[in-house]
Amino acid sequence: MPELPEVETVCRGLEKAVKGKVFTDITLRRTDLRFPLPKQKLQNLCGQSILGLERRAKYILINFDNGKTILLHLGMSGRLVIDDGKAELEKHDHVVFCCSNGTRIRFNDARRFGMLDVAPTAAIHQHKLLKKLGVEPFSADFNAKMLHEKLQHKTAAIKLAIMDQALVVGVGNIYASEALFQSGIDPRRTAGSLSRKNVAALVAAIQDVLRRAIAKGGSSLRDYKQADGELGTFQHAFAVYDRAGLRCPDCACDFSKTGGIQRMVQGGRSTFFCARKQR
DNA sequence: CCTTGAACCTGCGGGC
DNA sequence: TGCCCGCAGGTTCAAG
């Protein structure tokens, strides 16, 4: 489900619901997600106050006052749903966190690509899952100079390069296509072939697309919802993603000649682009 | 070192 | 209606 804007949205919604609270019960209904859930470590968090939440890349970090942190990744289909604890549990609700006031958080993940671990807060960024991650896209470290240097010797397609979480985090399949469209760069181009000017435009486009998506609560494909049940609305603002055969929003060109937005496959994932605008 | 492709798992929609 | 296929927002690991 989630790229950075969706994870950021879920994280903010969840923090409002649970900051300062305590989980009185944590139920594991099945433990075989991406890797086995740490059952005992989760049980040990019952009764501990929640200090706050953070996002790192596409991970949600839930910090407790005993110095432990839950590290959670939603994979492709994961959702965190907040409710009042009265409704029936649903299929694929794998972990259920309950607060004393009845508030309940359900970690629902049909495909079970999601992950959850518990580790010491102080060393969380040295955790196996986090230590190899690249820079945050909104940090000062993510800039044209840095990205240009990192891309220079790469022969991979630029679309695949910006989705590489070891380079810059948070950009997934939707926002890669959208950012390349916005910066006018052909997704098939070799990463190393981009000029410094291209890279500057790309950095700005990645930041702008992510910012605009966050402002709209992310994108709701299929059944994705924010933690409070609201739907994100950025899918209505897609310029190219999932719009094969439709008109490019920026091209005044003859639609019949270009065929509009094209779909192709890169690295096993769909890429959407306008061959006229993106060079 | 690199790049590519498959694997992980379930659900949905389209075509027949 | 049922079945089969391709597709889906991510990450990791093996093979070349």
Side-chain angles (χ1 to χ4, degrees):
Chain A
M1 165 224 301
E3 300 182 35
L4 185 148
E6 292 74 36
V7 176
E8 180 70 29
T9 301
V10 168
C11 200
R12 290 179 187 178
L14 190 58
E15 174 152 53
K16 269 189 208 166
V18 302
K19 186 173 183 174
K21 293 198 169 65
V22 165
F23 292 139
T24 50
D25 185 74
I26 301 174
T27 302
L28 283 65
R29 304 177 75 227
R30 70 183 292 171
T31 58
D32 54 336
L33 300 216
R34 181 61 185 269
F35 51 79
L37 298 177
K39 190 168 184 176
Q40 190 55 54
K41 288 180 183 173
L42 279 170
Q43 296 309 330
N44 292 345
L45 294 175
C46 287
Q48 302 295 330
S49 291
I50 297 163
L51 298 179
L53 273 72
E54 299 171 73
R55 178 193 58 73
R56 167 69 173 124
K58 298 172 191 171
Y59 290 86
I60 293 168
L61 277 45
I62 307 172
N63 298 318
F64 292 81
D65 72 353
N66 66 345
K68 302 290 187 185
T69 292
I70 290 179
L71 226 173
L72 190 152
H73 195 294
L74 297 169
M76 290 279 264
S77 55
R79 296 152 49 196
L80 286 172
V81 186
I82 304 169
D83 66 25
D84 60 7
K86 289 172 185 165
E88 290 289 305
L89 292 179
E90 294 177 17
K91 195 175 183 183
H92 307 305
D93 283 342
H94 306 312
V95 187
V96 184
F97 303 88
C98 297
C99 300
S100 55
N101 68 348
T103 299
R104 188 170 69 178
I105 315 299
R106 298 182 279 125
F107 181 17
N108 183 291
D109 184 9
R111 295 176 73 179
R112 285 185 278 121
F113 292 168
M115 317 174 210
L116 188 158
D117 201 6
V118 178
T121 310
I124 203 68
H125 295 292
Q126 274 64 250
H127 190 283
K128 187 176 190 294
L129 295 170
L130 301 186
K131 68 180 179 188
K132 288 180 182 160
L133 292 171
V135 297
E136 285 289 328
F138 298 126
S139 77
D141 294 337
F142 182 59
N143 55 57
K145 182 173 186 292
M146 167 273 184
L147 189 60
H148 189 245
E149 279 169 13
K150 295 254 189 185
L151 294 179
Q152 216 151 28
H153 49 90
K154 279 191 181 286
T155 56
I158 186 60
K159 157 111 178 321
L160 299 177
I162 59 173
M163 288 175 67
D164 179 358
Q165 304 296 300
L167 233 186
V168 57
V169 301
V171 180
N173 202 40
I174 293 176
Y175 300 107
S177 278
E178 292 294 318
L180 286 163
F181 171 83
Q182 193 168 314
S183 51
I185 296 165
D186 188 318
R188 296 167 293 191
R189 279 182 63 184
T190 291
S193 75
L194 268 63
S195 68
R196 180 67 180 267
K197 198 176 165 188
N198 288 152
V199 175
L202 183 54
V203 167
I206 287 171
Q207 293 176 332
D208 183 67
V209 165
L210 295 178
R211 238 189 275 281
R212 286 192 291 118
I214 291 169
K216 298 208 171 192
S219 303
S220 290
L221 273 49
R222 295 165 206 83
D223 58 354
Y224 162 72
K225 291 183 176 126
Q226 301 176 28
D228 59 5
E230 292 294 303
L231 292 172
T233 61
F234 192 70
Q235 67 277 13
H236 302 303
F238 289 165
V240 289
Y241 184 81
D242 204 20
R243 291 176 51 81
L246 300 177
R247 189 181 294 272
C248 162
D250 282 7
C251 271
C253 56
D254 184 344
F255 184 68
S256 64
K257 277 186 188 168
T258 64
I261 294 158
Q262 298 179 38
R263 174 187 177 274
M264 66 175 169
V265 175
Q266 291 181 290
R269 322 282 308 270
S270 291
T271 301
F272 299 88
F273 69 112
C274 170
R276 185 169 187 270
K277 165 168 165 154
Q278 296 174 254
R279 305 283 177 154

